[in-house]
Structure formats: C-alpha cells, structure tokens
Amino acid sequence: MRYFLKLAVRILTGVMAVILCTLPGAAEVLKVVVNDTIQPISAEYISRAIDEAHRRNAQALLIEINTPGGLVSSTREIIEKITSSAVPVIVYVTPTGGHAGSAGIFILESADVAAMSPGTAAGAAHPVTLIGPVQVKPDEEMNRKIENDAAALIRSVASRRSRNVEAAEGAVRESKSFTEQEALAQHLIDYVASSPEDLFRQMQGKTFKRFNGESATLDLTRQAVVPFGMTLKENILDTLMDPNVAFLLLAVGALSLYLEFNHPGAVIPGTVGVVFILLAAFALNFLPTRFAALGLILGAFALFAAEAKFATHGVLTVGGIVLLTLGGLLLVDSPIPEMRVHLVTALAVSIPLGLITAFLMTIAVRARRNKVVTGAQGLIGQTGVAQTLLSPEGKVFVHGELWDAVATSSLPPGQLIVVRRIDGLTLQVEPLGATSAAGTPAPAIL
C-alpha cells in the first residue's frame, strides 16, 4: 500500500511539473508597441498588456514607444498601472528617429528599466491643460499650478526609480529635450541599445530598483519575445481617435444626411449619415475640440445649398470649400501637430465634397423646376388619336393607353387630338387640326 501511495505521489508530481512547464507565456517577455499619441485607447492597451503579462507569469513586459505626447489623464493612468505592476516593465524608445515627447518621457521615467535606441530623443514635457473636449486658456496663476503639478509627478516617478530628478524636472519646466546620449549621461535612462536583444544582453546580471524600493535582476537573453497586439475593438477605436479620420467621418456623415433629406425614404444615406456622425462625435469627445469649427462646417453646407438656388457661377461653392477647410483645420485644437487635422486632409475632403454637394443640389433644384411628365399632370398637353366617334364622349388613345374622353365638338374616329384637362379618369380634349385617312387610326405617338 505504501508503495502505491509513493507511486501515486510521484505520478501526480510529474503531471504537475509538465503542466507548469507547458503553461502559456511561462518564461517569456511580452511586447507591446505604442506608435501613436497617448490617449484613452493607448492607456487601455497598455493596462491590458500589464494584466496579461501578470496572468501569463511573464518575466517582463517590453513597451516599445514612439510618441509625440498626448493627454495628461491617459498618461497618469498608464503611470499608475506601470508603477503598481507585479511584472517588471521595460520602456524602450525606438526606432531610430523616434521620440518620447511630452507624455512619453513621463512613461519612460516611470518604467523599471528605461532605454533608448540610437538616434532617438525624449523630453519637451511642458503641460497644456485640457478639460474634457475643450482646451482651456488658463491665467498665469493656473499655469503655475498646472506646471507644478506636472513637475511633482515627474519628480515622484524619477526619484522612486533613482534617476536624475533635476534633469527630469527640467523637461517639464523648461521643455528641455534630450538625445539618447544626453539622457544616459544625465541618468534619465539606464541603457542605450540598438535592439531589444542588445538591451537584454546589457541588462543581464545587473540590478534595478522597483517602485516599491526592492532591488531585482532579470535574465532575458534566452527568453522568447511574444508580441501582444491590440484587439479589434482597440484597433477600431484607435483609428477613430485620429483627428483626420474624425473630420472625414463628420463631413461624409453630413453629406449623407443631406442626401437623405433631399431623397426621403432612401434609408441608406440616412443610416450611413447617422452612424458616421455618431462615430465622429464619439472621437471628438476625447479630443480637444473647438465647437465653433462645427459652425464653420455647417455654414459651408449652407453655402453649397445656396449655390444651386441662386446660381452664382461657383462663388458660393468656393466660399463653402474655404469654410469647410477652415472648419477642418480648427476642429481639433491641440498643441501636438499629430493631434490636429492636416491641411492636406482638409483640402482632400473639402474640395471633392464641395463640388459633389453643389452638383447634387443643382440637379435637385433643376428637377423641381422641370415640367411634370408623370402622373395625371403629365398627360396635359399630350397628343393622341380618337379611336371612336366623340359626340362629344368617346374613346381616345393617348400615351399608349385607351382613355374615356369628352370633346368640345363632335370628332370622327382617327382625328388627332390634344389633352387640355383631366377630370377624374376622363380627358377633356380638343382637335389638333389634322385628320388621318378615314376610318384608319392615326399613330398615338407623334
């Protein structure tokens, strides 16, 4: 019995060892890539990656970053997640030519291990206040409060990581930027590495300070680096956060609603318009939006509509294109160029949209002015032929159909007639002045 118990224990121990060795993500480095502005979707992506690294029992999380900056609220959320992570977080500024601007240097300084690749830069972190979707122009006292708050944040994370507090604070108060060698010399970062593998080799056997004050070492030279990408939802939302995409959605949505209003019951344009405008509103809610620019965009569509009505030979269309372009350029008010609508995008949307809208308006107005050619009103003025004797009632053939008719005088069969009035289903006709051969019906269509 004792033998069987020992055997069972050994078997269970072996099974548990196999299970532990085959757990997904064991002894690996999880890698995420942030090559965008720092905004709510970036914060959600990094937070989810840290949670996943902990779940997989990964050795470390590698964040490859290249960002011009972003929103303070999202930056704070990322810092909070990094500093409380049970898994060591490595922030690596890459590729060559990339930078960790503004919000990026806050994230860099909060990491357990901070590194940059050759030819990169970090810094220029003076804060700009954003409250909700509206950019605030604070007074001098408020500016000092905002600056002091940002300086305190970077001092806090730099000191806990045993980095140069004065140099880090200079990036905030004086908007200083540092090359990778300057950052290394001033102890803002720990390593300059040409690749993640080079970084892991330099890190081997060296200790670093965790945010809780403990010292740790990592041996990552033989660990697999596993990419961790965004979900479909995050990819879609990240794309929507691009101001150029938001402006395009807003403009196309407005055009689609216009088409629905001019063609009631078409359904598809109205549906597309509502969906696009709601998506644009969702994105603009997270961006520093100037609502006055929305007035310029509405004014542009008003000028496009007026062009068709007043026929100003393109003057109002040009004015509408100018307003739509200005509305696009001013729609997102951000100090970061990457978080604004580009001039090329504004022109590429405004010019075709203006020409299309003015053209459609012209067609619609001309159609309303044309003579009615369908229905009962469309029969007035049509010519036909008497099929029976009209004395004064009889049958006439008009527009490919046989009608009851009443003539002003007696008309023989074959007499060419013209429709003057419609009374219910009876036509009031008059002779046209020409008659075909006796007893032979004349053509119904002349």
Side-chain angles (χ1 to χ4, degrees):
M1 180 66 71
R2 184 176 298 175
Y3 171 77
F4 287 111
L5 287 175
K6 288 182 178 180
L7 181 61
V9 170
R10 288 179 181 178
I11 292 174
L12 288 174
T13 304
V15 171
M16 291 299 296
V18 171
I19 293 174
L20 290 174
C21 290
T22 57
L23 279 175
E28 67 182 13
V29 177
L30 208 62
K31 184 183 79 170
V32 300
V33 178
V34 178
N35 188 21
D36 200 355
T37 55
I38 303 301
Q39 26 85 357
I41 307 307
S42 306
E44 179 183 330
Y45 174 41
I46 293 176
S47 297
R48 192 169 59 85
I50 292 174
D51 292 338
E52 181 67 13
H54 179 66
R55 188 188 71 82
R56 294 188 185 189
N57 194 28
Q59 295 296 303
L61 173 68
L62 173 65
I63 301 176
E64 293 188 353
I65 191 171
N66 176 24
T67 178
L71 303 179
V72 174
S73 58
S74 299
T75 304
R76 286 184 177 274
E77 184 179 342
I78 292 171
I79 291 174
E80 180 182 347
K81 197 70 179 179
I82 289 175
T83 55
S84 62
S85 172
V87 177
V89 177
I90 304 168
V91 175
Y92 178 45
V93 182
T94 189
T96 298
H99 63 308
S102 189
I105 194 172
F106 283 85
I107 298 172
L108 182 66
E109 293 304 308
S110 69
D112 292 282
V113 177
M116 298 171 66
S117 63
T120 56
H126 197 281
V128 177
T129 305
L130 295 177
I131 299 179
V134 184
Q135 181 166 345
V136 179
K137 306 298 182 183
D139 56 23
E140 185 176 349
E141 180 64 26
M142 182 60 72
N143 270 325
R144 283 199 301 269
K145 291 182 180 180
I146 297 166
E147 182 180 311
N148 290 336
D149 183 59
L153 175 62
I154 203 166
R155 282 201 311 268
S156 174
V157 295
S159 63
R160 297 288 290 183
R161 299 300 192 187
S162 298
R163 299 195 178 105
N164 191 331
V165 175
E166 289 74 18
E169 188 173 2
V172 174
R173 295 193 182 277
E174 303 172 34
S175 293
K176 288 183 178 179
S177 289
F178 306 92
T179 66
E180 80 284 356
Q181 292 300 333
E182 292 170 345
L184 182 64
Q186 299 197 44
H187 195 45
L188 286 170
I189 61 174
D190 306 306
Y191 303 97
V192 173
S194 58
S195 65
E197 292 75 18
D198 181 27
L199 174 60
F200 297 160
R201 283 194 297 269
Q202 294 185 50
M203 289 174 53
Q204 188 173 11
K206 296 181 180 179
T207 61
F208 57 90
K209 189 176 182 181
R210 302 291 326 264
F211 198 76
N212 59 9
E214 297 177 355
S215 295
T217 59
L218 286 173
D219 183 7
L220 305 177
T221 53
R222 294 180 179 85
Q223 305 300 331
V225 178
V226 180
F228 183 75
M230 287 186 171
T231 62
L232 177 61
K233 181 199 79 171
E234 288 169 344
N235 273 305
I236 293 173
L237 295 180
D238 187 62
T239 302
L240 291 178
M241 291 298 293
D242 186 339
N244 299 280
V245 175
F247 173 61
L248 178 62
L249 290 174
L250 184 64
V252 174
L255 175 62
S256 299
L257 285 183
Y258 156 76
L259 293 175
E260 180 66 29
F261 290 149
N262 279 273
H263 300 81
V267 180
I268 293 178
T271 304
V272 171
V274 170
V275 171
F276 276 31
I277 287 180
L278 288 178
L279 289 175
F282 174 84
L284 294 174
N285 179 59
F286 293 101
L287 296 170
T289 305
R290 277 182 175 166
F291 293 107
L294 297 176
L296 294 178
I297 294 173
L298 292 177
F301 279 92
L303 290 182
F304 295 150
E307 170 66 35
K309 184 174 182 180
F310 298 106
T312 60
H313 306 288
V315 174
L316 292 178
T317 299
V318 172
I321 291 174
V322 170
L323 281 183
L324 191 56
T325 303
L326 289 176
L329 293 175
L330 300 175
L331 184 62
V332 179
D333 183 15
S334 171
I336 304 173
E338 288 80 358
M339 291 186 71
R340 303 181 199 143
V341 177
H342 300 152
L343 176 61
V344 174
T345 304
L347 291 175
V349 171
S350 302
I351 294 176
L353 205 61
L355 296 177
I356 291 172
T357 307
F359 174 71
L360 293 176
M361 280 295 297
T362 302
I363 291 177
V365 171
R366 286 179 179 174
R368 291 169 185 170
R369 291 175 179 173
N370 287 341
K371 180 179 179 293
V372 178
V373 294
T374 60
Q377 295 297 320
L379 288 174
I380 297 177
Q382 292 289 321
T383 57
V385 61
Q387 295 288 10
T388 63
L389 175 66
L390 297 178
S391 59
E393 296 179 355
K395 300 285 187 181
V396 296
F397 194 76
V398 178
H399 208 271
E401 297 174 320
L402 195 63
W403 292 82
D404 292 327
V406 177
T408 54
S409 59
S410 180
L411 299 177
Q415 170 69 48
L416 297 179
I417 53 91
V418 60
V419 179
R420 295 304 183 192
R421 279 183 54 194
I422 300 175
D423 186 8
L425 296 177
T426 302
L427 306 183
Q428 304 231 351
V429 300
E430 294 180 353
L432 189 62
T435 308
S436 63
T440 305
I445 301 176
L446 303 179

